[in-house]
Amino acid sequence: MRKKIVAGNWKMNKVFQDAEELLYDLSEQIEDGQKSSKVEVIVCPPCLYMEMALDLSRNEEDERLFGVGAQDVSEHAQGAYTGEISADMLSSMGVEYCIVGHSERRKYFGETDEQVARKVERLLEEDVTPIVCVGESLEDREAGRHFDLIRSQVEKGLFGFKQLDFVKIIIAYEPIWAIGTGKTATPEQAQEVHAFIRKVVEEKYGKEVARNLSILYGGSCNAKNAAELFAQDDVDGGLIGGASLKAEDFVTIINSFK
């Protein structure tokens, strides 16, 4: 049975004191709320705060409250790449997850599917789980190109891996036109694309792998619409942006699974 997952991508938000307060609030509310053991919660703060997040990811009884992820990783294993963070650095800290190929990385930093594939490879080598983002612009959707584009992103970014490696990957569908805009794909639109991604994966890796693949929705998912989105058959959770910056909203989303 595939995992239900809610991952919070803080992006470039929160100064230190605010980040500390949010992590404390989140830890307390997750513990008090007794979240379902079936839901994997992931917090992806800016890299400066990952050690603090790791410290607060367990309660006083050393019970795990949430996993910690990075927002990006270098495509290089090590070397003279000023400002970059390598997969083995993440692994050595105990970071379990890493977002790869987010639309903002693709748009603002020119990240390609080939770079995404190299980053995924680095993460898998260090046993860090990649959360690989795919999705279309409004222009692509309106032109009816979104299925072709998403297929291309999945195939170029992920289909170079053997089945034993692919099963360690999480995919996040993020319609670019819905990120930070307040617009959200309808539950039916999200379900349609998630089912399509699962079908594309099935064509390459077979039914069992596709059936067990966790596919998250990202794109203005919030405390009000999460339950309806998560009720769709092929939506296994969310990659949450702005709503992950408020502990109460994020915990509401975590508890939105029926």
Side-chain angles (χ1 to χ4, degrees):
M1 186 174 180
R2 58 184 181 260
K3 281 185 179 179
K4 302 296 184 182
I5 299 168
V6 175
N9 177 15
W10 290 15
K11 306 188 182 184
M12 194 175 70
N13 290 294
K14 300 293 184 183
V15 297
F16 181 85
Q17 293 82 359
D18 293 338
E20 184 178 38
E21 182 179 349
L22 175 55
L23 286 166
Y24 270 110
D25 286 349
L26 184 59
S27 298
E28 290 175 359
Q29 291 193 37
I30 288 176
E31 187 169 18
D32 292 344
Q34 297 295 311
K35 73 173 181 65
S36 170
S37 60
K38 295 179 181 179
V39 181
E40 171 73 346
V41 178
I42 305 167
V43 175
C44 301
C47 62
L48 289 171
Y49 310 144
M50 284 194 294
E51 184 173 8
M52 180 168 60
L54 287 162
D55 288 343
L56 293 173
S57 68
R58 292 182 174 275
N59 62 18
E60 292 181 357
E61 289 72 40
D62 200 34
E63 296 170 329
R64 185 176 180 277
L65 301 173
F66 56 82
V68 176
Q71 297 179 16
D72 190 33
V73 70
S74 176
E75 64 188 280
H76 306 287
Q78 60 180 350
Y81 301 100
T82 301
E84 292 283 84
I85 295 174
S86 66
D88 64 346
M89 292 177 185
L90 298 178
S91 178
S92 69
M93 290 182 67
V95 173
E96 299 173 77
Y97 299 92
C98 183
I99 300 169
V100 179
H102 192 281
S103 62
E104 291 157 3
R105 298 295 311 177
R106 296 177 189 262
K107 178 179 179 180
Y108 300 128
F109 302 96
E111 193 164 294
T112 65
D113 293 322
E114 290 73 21
Q115 286 177 297
V116 169
R118 288 193 290 271
K119 290 183 176 189
V120 171
E121 183 177 10
R122 296 283 87 80
L123 292 169
L124 291 174
E125 289 171 348
E126 300 297 332
D127 293 322
V128 178
T129 299
I131 302 172
V132 184
C133 300
V134 299
E136 82 281 4
S137 66
L138 182 59
E139 181 183 3
D140 287 321
R141 174 166 277 273
E142 290 181 340
R145 297 189 295 261
H146 52 298
F147 287 127
D148 290 339
L149 176 69
I150 291 167
R151 176 184 286 275
S152 177
Q153 289 175 333
V154 172
E155 290 180 347
K156 290 180 180 179
L158 299 175
F159 278 10
F161 298 102
K162 296 179 181 178
Q163 180 173 314
L164 287 175
D165 287 326
F166 185 88
V167 297
K168 303 171 187 174
I169 293 168
I170 298 165
I171 294 179
Y173 166 58
E174 43 164 22
I176 299 169
W177 47 271
I179 297 174
T181 64
K183 298 178 181 179
T184 309
T186 65
E188 292 77 19
Q189 287 173 321
Q191 167 59 25
E192 182 182 39
V193 176
H194 282 231
F196 173 75
I197 293 170
R198 209 175 297 283
K199 177 177 176 292
V200 170
V201 170
E202 181 181 332
E203 291 170 0
K204 172 70 174 180
Y205 293 104
K207 287 186 178 181
E208 184 177 357
V209 172
R211 185 170 56 247
N212 290 317
L213 170 68
S214 292
I215 307 176
L216 314 184
Y217 173 79
S220 296
C221 180
N222 56 50
K224 294 181 179 179
N225 60 28
E228 192 174 10
L229 286 163
F230 295 172
Q232 304 304 305
D233 289 344
D234 288 290
V235 178
D236 303 310
L239 178 58
I240 314 301
S244 70
L245 299 175
K246 296 181 180 179
E248 185 175 354
D249 287 352
F250 192 52
V251 171
T252 298
I253 294 170
I254 292 167
N255 292 324
S256 292
F257 288 101
K258 295 180 179 178

